[in-house]
Amino acid sequence: DFDIDFCMDKRELVIDYVRKAYGHQSVGQIATFHQLKSKSVVKDVGRVKGLSPGDAARIAALIPDPIAGKSTPIYKALEEVEALKTLYDTDPAARDVLDIAQGLENLTRHAGMHAAGVVMSEGPIWDHVPVFCPDEGVYVTQYHKDDVEAAGLVKFDFLGLRTLTVLDKAVRLINRRPDREGEFDLSALPLDDRGTYALLCSGETTNVFQLESTGMQELFKKLKPDCFEDIVAAVALYRPGPMGAGMHNDFVERKHGRQRVEYPHPSVEPILRDTRGVIVYQEQVMQIAQVMGGYSLGGADLLRRAMGKKKESEMAKHKATFVAGAAKNNVEQKTAEDIFDLMAFFAGYGFNKSHSAAYALITYQTAYLKAHFPVEFTCATLSADKEKSEKVVRTVAEARSMGITVLPPDVNESEIDFSVVYSPDEGRDIRRPKDKPVCQKGVVHDPQVPRIRFGLGAIKGVGSAALDTVFESRQDEIQNQDPFIDLFDFCARVDLRRVNKAVVEALIQCGAFDGVHAPKQVSRARAFAALEQAIERGKRLAAEQASGQTSLFGLLAEADTAKTYARGGGTFPPAQDWDSRDQLQREKASLGFYVSGHPLDRYAAELRRFCNADTETLASVDGNTTIVLGGSVEAYRERRTKRGDSI
């Protein structure tokens, strides 16, 4: 069983490579089996029995939501939810649906394909396990992942690691900088950069790989790493086992000289020197067995496994072998026994160093980018998380606290992902990258400030087909940028069969037309009021072009007038401007959060006065402190506890 991490956007490339390298017939993906859970089975049965989707959904809504991923059985919901019981007793159609649903509940609904699970075989895969083919040349096992292993196939998990995607996007953004000289190479980073270690010690490590939790940030602030080995060790130590044994505290105390570094025997000092006498890694257990106990590397690995499983019979055999081998190396029996017991204790917590080092390198790389290229790193993070509103909100808030400007979407400037744009410095306070070119007089030359432009792909309800036609339409015949003039020009040029009214409404409400309409002083409310007219004109123009006709303006007026018809020129009707709260609510409906402000901005002073925490700092507040939070209630729903109480 192999687990391998890849960039999220390139996992399919890896699977295609494996198929070509080892043969399409010998490579398959693993099936997943979806069950008929209580809510879904009610909806399915309701559809088959002829109920409207709304009626079936209303019955299903009376079943409590899953708790910790576990659905509430229908029979239990009938016992606990009075409204569902009443419906069952009074509505024959609902009773029929619920009775049939109980008989089908938890059966397998359909088979799917695991996104990451891949198996390989010698010869055609169907010689080993049954398969099905969702697409031509794609083979999926009909066995579950555990049964596939039992059948003797090698299983790989090609996992999509978000951070690798962030690194890839950030490097491409850095290499697009107008002041960049030479290719930025992530693999050539120096591992002794002071700025990177300063950031790691500061605790300001949001979006730095593995350092987002409060506990990990506190460990790094206490540890104050100043070399790469410290990061590797911290990654291995921050796990329940080592922390429960206090190993992380011993490591910190020994690093700062507050606890004496001791080695169980002089021969193991070279092995434990980097971890200050603490056995942290599985490889250290194996090395001690090899150096002191005379084990081969293969035998040392068997010892590691036996220690991890804590099988007493195997441990007794290995202890005798270790002590005998140590005696040949002039180690006293008592010392050898004590060291074996020490190894056995730490082996239960030991982490694979090669894994820890690989993850530590990613930690260092993300910290380096955040310290030296904060705009590009933040932009890449937003792009990787664009479908997760809560993460985008947090990252945008942190960007603004760092002095980085996050601009709203723009129909002319935005790409699918978040992007970095450059404009003249307006005196904004921004954490400047440290590799800026320096003039002869020693003054930093920075005529342009990087800012982050919101990506159109993060707007709710705007699909890839709609975005494709927007990007195609804002280019001329030779692929040069041909910006939209206004809403009317936009509707005249895009394919309104793919960009429907709801898409354009979302673009207006989130502010994507603000930059286009600013010179004309057209507000979002006026653009929204003109939408019907703009779409109607766009459809009429498209119909005329499709039929080969010429518009009335093209026949009777000058050529520039015809161009004006095609390139805007419509009238924006007067409309009452949206108040700030209405505008913010529309932004949130389109983007999932607020961009131009926040409904609580007007209460900022009161919140600072009365509140002692917010959702970001809540986890770090002392457990004995009374928490005071401020907020606004926008929606609520009832939940049921394990005891059946409504909250």
Side-chain angles (χ1 to χ4, degrees):
D1 185 0
F2 296 84
D3 289 352
I4 311 174
D5 294 317
F6 294 97
C7 168
M8 292 189 303
D9 296 342
K10 298 180 180 178
R11 181 165 54 189
E12 287 302 319
L13 296 178
V14 176
I15 295 175
D16 288 342
Y17 165 80
V18 170
R19 289 194 184 110
K20 292 174 183 175
Y22 301 102
H24 280 73
Q25 295 183 344
S26 298
V27 177
Q29 290 183 256
I30 300 172
T32 56
F33 297 97
H34 302 267
Q35 292 182 312
L36 287 162
K37 295 300 182 182
S38 53
K39 283 178 173 285
S40 62
V41 71
V42 166
K43 293 177 183 178
D44 284 347
V45 172
R47 184 181 66 252
V48 173
K49 297 295 290 184
L51 269 66
S52 69
D55 289 339
R58 276 189 288 275
I59 300 173
L62 295 174
I63 299 172
D65 291 332
I67 298 175
K70 293 185 178 181
S71 296
T72 302
I74 296 174
Y75 81 86
K76 192 171 183 181
L78 286 168
E79 294 173 358
E80 296 178 350
V81 182
E82 188 62 35
L84 184 65
K85 175 64 174 168
T86 301
L87 184 67
Y88 181 87
D89 292 337
T90 59
D91 188 333
R95 184 188 310 116
D96 189 28
V97 167
L98 290 167
D99 286 342
I100 296 173
Q102 287 186 76
L104 299 173
E105 192 175 8
N106 292 325
L107 293 179
T108 298
R109 186 183 193 277
H110 63 278
M113 184 174 70
H114 196 288
V118 175
V119 290
M120 298 182 194
S121 65
E122 184 176 359
I125 195 167
W126 51 81
D127 287 349
H128 304 269
V129 295
V131 300
F132 67 93
C133 303
D135 296 302
E136 185 177 354
V138 177
Y139 303 107
V140 182
T141 70
Q142 293 190 40
Y143 285 171
H144 189 261
K145 60 184 179 69
D146 297 331
D147 297 327
V148 163
E149 289 186 41
L153 297 181
V154 180
K155 183 167 75 73
F156 293 81
D157 278 339
F158 292 151
L159 305 171
L161 185 61
R162 161 190 168 277
T163 305
L164 295 178
T165 305
V166 171
L167 291 173
D168 180 62
K169 292 178 182 294
V171 168
R172 284 191 275 119
L173 289 170
I174 291 167
N175 285 322
R176 286 166 54 184
R177 289 169 61 110
D179 62 353
R180 186 74 202 165
E181 295 180 6
E183 196 80 3
F184 178 77
D185 185 0
L186 197 63
S187 65
L189 294 183
L191 293 179
D192 58 355
D193 179 71
R194 291 184 179 180
T196 302
Y197 287 105
L199 177 71
L200 291 172
C201 297
S202 71
E204 298 178 8
T205 52
T206 303
N207 292 320
V208 173
F209 184 59
Q210 298 191 117
L211 300 189
E212 298 195 64
S213 69
T214 304
M216 196 61 149
Q217 290 170 355
E218 288 300 315
L219 175 59
F220 268 69
K221 284 196 284 188
K222 293 176 183 176
L223 178 61
K224 300 189 184 304
D226 54 12
C227 63
F228 185 68
E229 280 292 340
D230 284 350
I231 304 175
V232 179
V235 169
L237 288 168
Y238 191 75
R239 293 178 300 115
M243 293 180 72
M247 292 165 61
H248 64 306
N249 291 327
D250 290 342
F251 188 84
V252 170
E253 294 300 301
R254 292 184 182 192
K255 173 178 172 58
H256 296 296
R258 295 188 290 266
Q259 187 181 110
R260 184 180 176 184
V261 176
E262 296 178 336
Y263 300 99
H265 191 270
S267 64
V268 302
E269 181 176 344
I271 299 171
L272 301 180
R273 186 179 296 121
D274 287 340
T275 54
R276 299 171 177 84
V278 180
I279 301 176
V280 175
Y281 311 116
Q282 294 175 355
E283 288 89 342
Q284 289 175 317
V285 172
M286 295 170 63
Q287 284 179 291
I288 294 171
Q290 183 188 20
V291 169
M292 181 176 288
Y295 275 69
S296 66
L297 283 176
D301 189 46
L302 293 175
L303 170 63
R304 175 193 63 80
R305 287 196 223 175
M307 287 181 167
K309 294 179 180 178
K310 293 181 170 57
K311 291 187 176 180
E312 292 186 10
S313 58
E314 288 187 39
M315 291 286 285
K317 294 177 184 178
H318 278 293
K319 188 170 186 177
T321 303
F322 180 85
V323 171
K328 294 178 182 179
N329 291 314
N330 300 317
V331 179
E332 295 181 1
Q333 180 177 343
K334 179 67 167 63
T335 302
E337 290 176 347
D338 290 344
I339 292 174
F340 185 89
D341 292 340
L342 188 68
M343 290 165 56
F345 173 78
F346 283 109
Y349 303 130
F351 197 62
N352 185 290
K353 185 177 183 181
S354 58
H355 186 195
S356 185
Y359 270 29
L361 180 61
I362 301 175
T363 298
Y364 182 88
Q365 289 172 339
T366 51
Y368 183 96
L369 293 181
K370 184 168 184 177
H372 295 276
F373 301 98
V375 179
E376 288 81 4
F377 176 71
T378 303
C379 182
T381 301
L382 287 167
S383 293
D385 291 335
K386 64 178 180 285
E387 296 177 359
K388 301 174 182 176
S389 297
E390 68 283 356
K391 289 190 174 182
V392 172
V393 171
R394 184 190 64 179
T395 303
V396 167
E398 194 203 22
R400 287 171 174 163
S401 71
M402 294 167 63
I404 299 173
T405 301
V406 180
L407 302 169
D410 187 279
V411 290
N412 283 329
E413 198 171 68
S414 290
E415 301 174 9
I416 290 182
D417 286 340
F418 289 76
S419 56
V420 179
V421 296
Y422 299 87
S423 55
D425 190 347
E426 300 171 0
R428 297 178 188 270
D429 178 24
I430 185 169
R431 185 185 296 176
R432 305 289 177 89
K434 298 180 181 179
D435 66 337
K436 286 287 184 181
V438 179
C439 297
Q440 292 181 352
K441 294 182 181 180
V443 178
V444 175
H445 177 62
D446 188 12
Q448 293 188 325
V449 170
R451 296 177 172 86
I452 297 174
R453 173 66 73 180
F454 213 100
L456 295 181
I459 302 174
K460 292 184 177 182
V462 180
S464 58
L467 292 178
D468 287 344
T469 189
V470 170
F471 296 140
E472 291 167 5
S473 301
R474 72 185 190 191
Q475 294 178 330
D476 61 18
E477 292 80 0
I478 55 175
Q479 302 300 302
N480 292 322
Q481 288 297 313
D482 186 16
F484 298 113
I485 295 173
D486 60 14
L487 176 64
F488 289 92
D489 181 39
F490 178 88
C491 291
R493 291 164 61 185
V494 301
D495 184 351
L496 291 173
R497 292 169 298 181
R498 293 191 288 172
V499 181
N500 58 31
K501 181 181 177 182
V503 169
V504 187
E505 285 180 346
L507 291 171
I508 295 172
Q509 292 181 134
C510 73
F513 282 97
D514 287 0
V516 175
H517 290 152
K520 301 180 181 181
Q521 297 183 331
V522 175
S523 66
R524 295 184 194 180
R526 290 182 63 197
F528 200 82
L531 179 57
E532 291 281 2
Q533 178 189 355
I535 289 177
E536 186 59 37
R537 291 184 65 174
K539 288 180 177 178
R540 187 163 65 247
L541 179 62
E544 291 175 359
Q545 290 174 338
S547 64
Q549 296 178 4
T550 306
S551 69
L552 179 63
F553 284 115
L555 290 170
L556 303 177
E558 298 294 329
D560 60 341
T561 307
K563 183 179 180 181
T564 301
Y565 172 75
R567 298 300 305 269
T571 302
F572 290 92
Q576 179 69 38
D577 284 349
W578 298 332
D579 61 36
S580 60
R581 185 172 182 81
D582 187 17
Q583 179 164 307
L584 288 170
Q585 290 295 343
R586 290 172 182 264
E587 279 182 9
K588 188 173 183 182
S590 299
L591 300 175
F593 60 94
Y594 309 108
V595 175
S596 60
H598 193 279
L600 296 178
D601 283 346
R602 69 180 74 178
Y603 307 111
E606 288 84 352
L607 291 172
R608 284 194 297 269
R609 180 181 175 189
F610 293 107
C611 300
N612 61 357
D614 55 31
T615 53
E616 186 176 2
T617 61
L618 187 60
S620 61
V621 177
D622 189 323
N624 297 320
T625 304
T626 300
I627 303 295
V628 181
L629 290 174
S632 59
V633 178
E634 298 188 3
Y636 81 95
R637 62 178 177 179
E638 289 187 0
R639 295 269 190 172
R640 297 187 72 82
T641 66
K642 291 182 178 180
R643 298 170 58 182
D645 300 327
S646 295
I647 57 171

